Amino acid sequence: MDRALADIGQAARYVVLGSGQPGPLGLLTVYPVSSPYTVTPHPRLVLDGSEATRGWRTGCYLGSLGRAPAMVSVSPAAEAGPVRATLLEAGWKLVLEQSAQLDFACFPLLDDDLLAAVMPLVAADDPVLVESNEAFVPVSVDSFAGYLAAQSSSRREMIRKEQRRFQAAGLRVVEVDLSERHSQLAPLLRNVELKYGVAGSVEDYGNYLLSIARTLGDQAICLAVFGDDDPHQSDPVAFTVIWRQDKVWRVRCWGCDYEQTAGTYSYFNVVVYEPVRLAIEAGAQRLILGRGSLEAKLARGAELLRLTSVAVPLAR
């Protein structure tokens, strides 16, 4: 993100809490957001088209850019509550120091704990709150069979049917090296982004995937879909990337060739079923599936987590 922001003459700022020991206790990123939003999203992407976004042009996001829940990073060696509170207070102070140049500030997609920590900071500033939901699969079984057994009989039959259709289409899921495959996968990601009205070049999406590979290393898993008639795995037709965050795994993006995957249930096989299987085998506790297609994910064993975005108008 730093590199992408630098390309448009902007820079993120970081609040870092130290302890006198090697390594920080915590970190909070403050991202600039401005027109024309070529890198960072407009607040309406977080606030779901709220009327309050009208007239907001320049501001900042605290914790994340709104594509994933707000991230306040805390060292496992630290007591989370006090570190989180200190980071948020310092981040808000930084925002207020720049408030004459900002239309808004936004804490995107807060879980209930973060929301409780943020509200005392902004309660007097007429905040706008918008709720949304994120789907996740709680991993409390020791096998994929156990995951199936936890579903209703109708859901089990649906999942098995979708797996059979995928296999009958001659498709298979293969774990691949994202750093080697990013340029192949970028057009598939662009296909999906264009379907939902997000413009970007193949090069943009290739750089995005490469940045994940470089920064997350083996904490990122890339699953690609190939046909049985492609023994050398030359032309993937779909893929997903999973971020492994200790016991929490997050499905981060999805791309496909719509024509070649039509009617094969590739989405559910590569975004839900195979990640569930891998998460169970790795001993993860939660697989987060994101904020889209919630009903379809609930029908496959997911639950919902409430997220609240908090935006504050500044210099208007």
Side-chain angles (χ1 to χ4, degrees):
M1 282 311 309
D2 277 340
R3 180 177 296 175
L5 288 167
D7 287 343
I8 58 171
Q10 295 183 337
R13 302 181 75 177
Y14 298 88
V15 178
V16 182
L17 180 63
S19 64
Q21 303 296 324
L25 291 178
L27 179 146
L28 172 68
T29 309
V30 181
Y31 291 104
V33 184
S34 63
S35 177
Y37 317 116
T38 53
V39 175
T40 52
H42 189 276
R44 71 169 57 94
L45 293 181
V46 173
L47 300 178
D48 297 332
S50 166
E51 293 289 322
T53 63
R54 290 186 176 181
W56 289 1
R57 303 292 292 173
T58 301
C60 63
Y61 282 8
L62 292 92
S64 89
L65 281 168
R67 298 288 185 174
M71 291 173 276
V72 181
S73 302
V74 179
S75 166
E79 187 177 353
V83 170
R84 182 174 56 211
T86 301
L87 289 170
L88 291 169
E89 183 177 354
W92 188 240
K93 181 180 178 182
L94 184 64
V95 169
L96 294 179
E97 290 172 354
Q98 306 173 64
S99 61
Q101 291 80 44
L102 301 174
D103 291 325
F104 74 94
C106 182
F107 294 87
L109 305 174
L110 306 175
D111 62 23
D112 287 347
D113 288 341
L114 277 174
L115 178 63
V118 165
M119 285 307 296
L121 299 175
V122 304
D125 297 300
D126 194 23
V128 177
L129 277 64
V130 176
E131 291 186 2
S132 58
N133 289 291
E134 183 173 65
F136 71 94
V137 177
V139 181
S140 56
V141 294
D142 57 9
S143 67
F144 191 83
Y147 158 75
L148 281 175
Q151 313 305 316
S152 66
S153 59
S154 59
R155 287 183 180 179
R156 284 197 298 274
E157 179 53 35
M158 177 187 68
I159 292 169
R160 292 188 179 114
K161 182 191 76 172
E162 291 173 350
Q163 290 182 309
R164 289 194 298 268
R165 181 75 64 82
F166 182 77
Q167 293 166 359
L171 299 175
R172 67 194 190 284
V173 180
V174 179
E175 185 173 340
V176 299
D177 187 327
L178 182 57
S179 62
E180 293 180 357
R181 295 279 188 167
H182 67 278
S183 59
Q184 275 187 311
L185 302 174
L188 303 178
L189 178 56
R190 185 173 184 265
N191 287 344
V192 174
E193 295 291 295
L194 285 175
K195 179 180 178 181
Y196 293 99
V198 181
S201 68
V202 172
E203 183 181 8
D204 289 337
Y205 292 116
N207 288 337
Y208 168 71
L209 295 172
L210 182 58
S211 73
I212 293 176
R214 287 177 172 173
T215 55
L216 270 70
D218 62 4
Q219 298 306 297
I221 299 173
C222 182
L223 302 177
V225 176
F226 298 91
D228 285 336
D229 58 354
D230 182 9
H232 302 295
Q233 299 172 18
S234 303
D235 297 304
V237 298
F239 83 100
T240 194
V241 176
I242 303 165
W243 293 5
R244 297 194 297 169
Q245 301 165 301
D246 193 23
K247 296 294 185 179
V248 177
W249 287 25
R250 176 178 294 278
V251 176
R252 191 63 189 92
C253 60
W254 146 258
C256 74
D257 181 318
Y258 283 106
E259 183 177 344
Q260 295 193 61
T261 59
T264 65
Y265 296 105
S266 289
Y267 177 81
F268 295 113
N269 278 275
V270 75
V271 170
V272 181
Y273 306 143
E274 186 65 9
V276 164
R277 185 185 68 78
L278 292 174
I280 291 170
E281 292 177 356
Q285 296 175 352
R286 176 175 291 194
L287 175 68
I288 299 175
L289 301 176
R291 295 187 295 139
S293 305
L294 294 179
E295 290 187 8
K297 292 168 182 174
L298 290 175
R300 289 155 180 85
E303 299 179 12
L304 294 182
L305 173 68
R306 182 181 65 184
L307 301 170
T308 305
S309 295
V310 180
V312 179
L314 298 169
R316 302 294 296 268

